[in-house]
Amino acid sequence: MPVKKAHPEADDSTAAEAGVGSVADDDSDLAERESRWNHALVGSGLGVWDHNYRLDRKYYSQTWKTMRGMAPDEEAAGDYDAWLALVHPDDRDFVVHAIDRQNAGDPDFQIFEYRERHRDGHWMWIDCRGACVEWDESGVPTRIVGTDTDITARKEAEDTLSRLSRRLDLALEISRIGVFEADIENDTVEWDERLIAIYGLKGASRPIASDIWAKSLHPDDRERVLGLSDRSVESGSDFQQEYRIIRGDGAERVIRARSAFFVDGNGHRKLIGANWDVTEEVALRNELQRAKDQAEAHNRELEAAKESIERLALHDYLTSLPNRRYLDKMLDERSAECRAKGLGLAILHIDLDRFKQINDTLGHRAGDAMLQHAASVLRNSVRAADFVARIGGDEFVILCTVDPASKKIASLAERIIRELRKPVRYEGHDCRFGASIGIAVDSGPTLDAKQMLLDADIALYRAKGLGRNRFEFFSASDRRDVISAKHLADEILIGLERNEFVPFYQLQFDARTLDVVGVETLARWQHPVHGLLAPDRFLDIAEDLDVVSTIDALILERAIADRRAWIKDGLSVPKISVNVSARRLGDPDLGKKLRALKIAPGTFAFELLESISLDDCDEAVAANLKKLRKLGIDIQIDDFGTGHASIVSLLRLSPKTLKIDRELIRLLPQSAEQRKLVGSIIDIGRSLNILVIAEGVETADHIRILEELDCDTLQGYALARPMPAMQISSFIRAGSWRHGQVAARALQTQLRRELRNRAAK
């Protein structure tokens, strides 16, 4: 079958160079040409392929194989379907069509691109170029020759460039930046759409006239900006300015501009720049500047006020010494300093002895004067680098950095005690008081000043327990005391298991008739070794153990049982009040537990300490108070006048009774002010329909004064001491409290009569 040449007009030499056939007579010349073309093809990276369908022979060059990850001597798969399976699925239909068109001699498909899987698994881009060079007599292609080129790197570069271009365009769009490019030599300028919008020139003819920018400048800024622009062009320096423009619509805006020079590929000097509208930013900046100017105008006044506030916040108003807040700050600073420098830290916790007696006898002004004197003594006793603070009441703290081996702290403590024991003259009186001091000293990398303050407090407690007016260093024995407290805590838990906590009862009396109207239940601990203990011996530790609620519940159950016994004994039982702790009052199951006890309505009252803070009780407490009322359990406020309940809380809580704290009752015979205060509380109770109980009634004078003040109920040693349940019946039947009070009242009446007679004479 005759073979048809690809291009009849091609000469023999061209055919020879293409490798299709040779008509040259000189074999050496042919070999030279073939060698030259082979080297050129290898150097160009072109992979040659030759499909000769007439001879059923396919040829693939080494470069063609190498770009696909094949070995040079590896035979290429001749199966069309097997090769087609290596083509990317998204390109497969296109490749089949392109090959068909290429075989048909379609010039539009002599070059096409597609993806093919490399031997190592990644996709490579192929630039395929091929053409039919022989046909049979019927015009069917019998030989197609071409080249493949790996263009993966180019494609990746194009993709990267495309992404960067999209990102740049998006960034410009988001930031509303307009871009221009000016040809300095040809005096032409190109603006993008964003820049045209910024200057309000939408609809303007394109390209933008070179002088349009100068005409847009605000008249007041034009000369300055054009001058800077001209100098930038002359010197080739970057241009960076902020100026005003008049937009095409007449609006005034503020523009920030930046531009730089460059030389393009043709050697032309050009300027590229960006403009963006900063009108709102400038307005905000100007407003902030005005605010700053105003703030600076008041800066001195504010600084002075700040210093004053800081001083008030960190110093005690009475003595001008640093306060507890300042001390906490210094504890951290001195700890760090001592750890860094290898120094020791000494903490002296000072408590004034007999200070309360001065307050009680001479009044608070005298007490304040003594505190000021003590502060002066402490300041004068320490070095300038030492720190002295008043942390509350009559307590002071001194911080000293010392050499770890120093013995001077004891001398300092002795000097302070000696100076504070000297009498202080105040309004004709010699005021005498002293001081007890607890000392903690420590050093080393584990030094903890806050723990040392606790240790100093323990040492102070020991000094006061040993007789006051002395100092004690914190020691291992103090730690043993802490261990002892732990032992007591264990005993409390055991005592609860053994029912060692029992109720004692203190009767309450009508202030006018002295009839028994109530009884308060008090918790006592029948300790197997130490005997009967009052709450002051165990309550603090019980609170730490969170068992006060348990004790309260046990005492309530015993009180219910004792009431039944009194009734069985024929005794008219008054209302019984029991204490309830803050924790128990917040127990969500309190109502359920009380219903299980089947308490007869109106027979019991719960005493709430005023320190529970009735003004801001939480939802659980409020809910339990409502449940108490539904169960017929009255509510009493205990220790009124020493906590922080307000009149508003009394109105909201509506208790049946409030008890005036014994500290307010104690000085009634000596203090007219105390009588006025207690009288006011009684009046408040009466106005709110609340009964008032005075506790701490210790003398006949207390009884008389409270009766005169129209108090409702009395409770105290002058009438009855706390007693166990078995003694209540006999005590009430004997009525011994009445006889003593009748005699006392008769004596008081006689004394008042004699005083009136003397006054009349």
Side-chain angles (χ1 to χ4, degrees), residues 282-500:
V282 171
L284 177 60
R285 184 179 66 199
N286 293 338
E287 183 62 31
L288 291 175
Q289 184 61 45
R290 282 193 294 271
K292 178 183 177 184
D293 293 341
Q294 292 176 355
E296 289 177 349
H298 298 288
N299 185 58
R300 290 182 182 178
E301 180 180 350
L302 292 175
E303 284 297 323
K306 178 183 176 183
E307 290 177 4
S308 176
I309 292 171
E310 288 180 348
R311 178 166 183 81
L312 289 174
L314 296 175
H315 288 79
D316 171 50
Y317 75 97
L318 179 64
T319 63
S320 296
L321 288 176
N323 58 17
R324 180 57 187 260
R325 182 180 176 187
Y326 200 168
L327 172 64
D328 290 340
K329 177 182 177 183
M330 291 303 296
L331 287 173
D332 293 334
E333 292 184 7
R334 292 296 170 90
S335 292
E337 178 186 356
C338 291
R339 289 194 297 265
K341 297 181 179 180
L343 296 173
L345 179 65
I347 299 182
L348 290 77
H349 191 171
I350 303 160
D351 184 81
L352 302 184
D353 297 326
R354 297 185 301 278
F355 173 76
K356 187 175 184 299
Q357 288 85 334
I358 295 174
N359 252 343
D360 293 343
T361 57
L362 298 179
H364 288 290
R365 287 193 299 173
D368 290 347
M370 296 307 104
L371 290 173
Q372 291 170 338
H373 170 74
S376 177
V377 168
L378 296 178
R379 272 193 296 257
N380 295 331
S381 299
V382 300
R383 302 166 301 180
D386 296 334
F387 180 83
V388 183
R390 180 190 176 201
I391 61 173
D394 56 352
E395 294 184 63
F396 300 84
V397 169
I398 297 175
L399 304 183
C400 302
T401 54
V402 296
D403 186 285
S406 174
K407 305 287 187 181
K408 294 181 179 180
I409 294 302
S411 299
L412 172 61
E414 290 174 348
R415 183 166 65 253
I416 290 172
I417 293 173
R418 184 172 61 250
E419 290 299 319
L420 289 178
R421 292 183 64 180
K422 294 179 180 179
V424 182
R425 195 71 176 168
Y426 177 78
E427 294 185 353
H429 300 277
D430 280 339
C431 299
R432 295 179 180 273
F433 60 93
S436 298
I437 304 176
I439 306 171
V441 182
D442 199 4
S443 61
T446 61
L447 185 149
D448 184 348
K450 291 184 178 178
Q451 179 60 47
M452 289 178 62
L453 183 61
L454 297 175
D455 294 343
D457 185 53
I458 294 173
L460 171 63
Y461 180 80
R462 185 165 177 267
K464 295 175 79 69
L466 292 175
R468 304 176 185 272
N469 271 316
R470 60 185 294 138
F471 66 88
E472 291 292 329
F473 283 88
F474 178 78
S475 64
S477 62
D478 299 320
R479 296 190 185 278
R480 285 194 293 271
D481 292 339
V482 175
I483 295 173
S484 176
K486 171 64 170 59
H487 179 66
L488 181 59
D490 295 337
E491 289 185 320
I492 289 174
L493 297 176
I494 295 172
L496 286 171
E497 295 175 358
R498 297 175 178 175
N499 291 321
E500 294 174 356

Side-chain angles (χ1 to χ4, degrees), residues 121-225:
H122 76 269
W123 294 107
M124 53 186 293
W125 276 95
I126 300 294
D127 178 22
C128 179
R129 298 169 181 256
C132 181
V133 296
E134 290 183 6
W135 295 263
D136 62 11
E137 293 176 347
S138 302
V140 176
T142 59
R143 187 178 183 185
I144 301 174
V145 179
T147 60
D148 285 356
T149 306
D150 185 351
I151 59 170
T152 305
R154 191 192 78 194
K155 283 289 188 178
E156 290 176 351
E158 290 175 352
D159 185 58
T160 300
L161 183 60
S162 176
R163 289 198 305 273
L164 290 175
S165 178
R166 288 195 300 272
R167 290 177 183 174
L168 176 60
D169 192 61
L170 181 60
L172 291 173
E173 183 66 33
I174 292 172
S175 59
R176 299 180 182 177
I177 294 177
V179 177
F180 71 88
E181 182 177 315
D183 189 325
I184 304 300
E185 297 176 5
N186 296 323
D187 193 25
T188 59
V189 61
E190 294 181 8
W191 290 21
D192 68 1
E193 291 295 334
R194 283 181 290 269
L195 188 58
I196 291 173
I198 289 173
Y199 278 76
L201 300 176
K202 283 189 175 182
S205 60
R206 306 290 294 273
I208 300 297
S210 59
D211 63 345
I212 196 68
W213 173 71
K215 292 179 180 179
S216 298
L217 294 174
H218 192 286
D220 294 342
D221 294 350
R222 186 174 295 145
E223 183 178 352
R224 174 181 63 85
V225 176

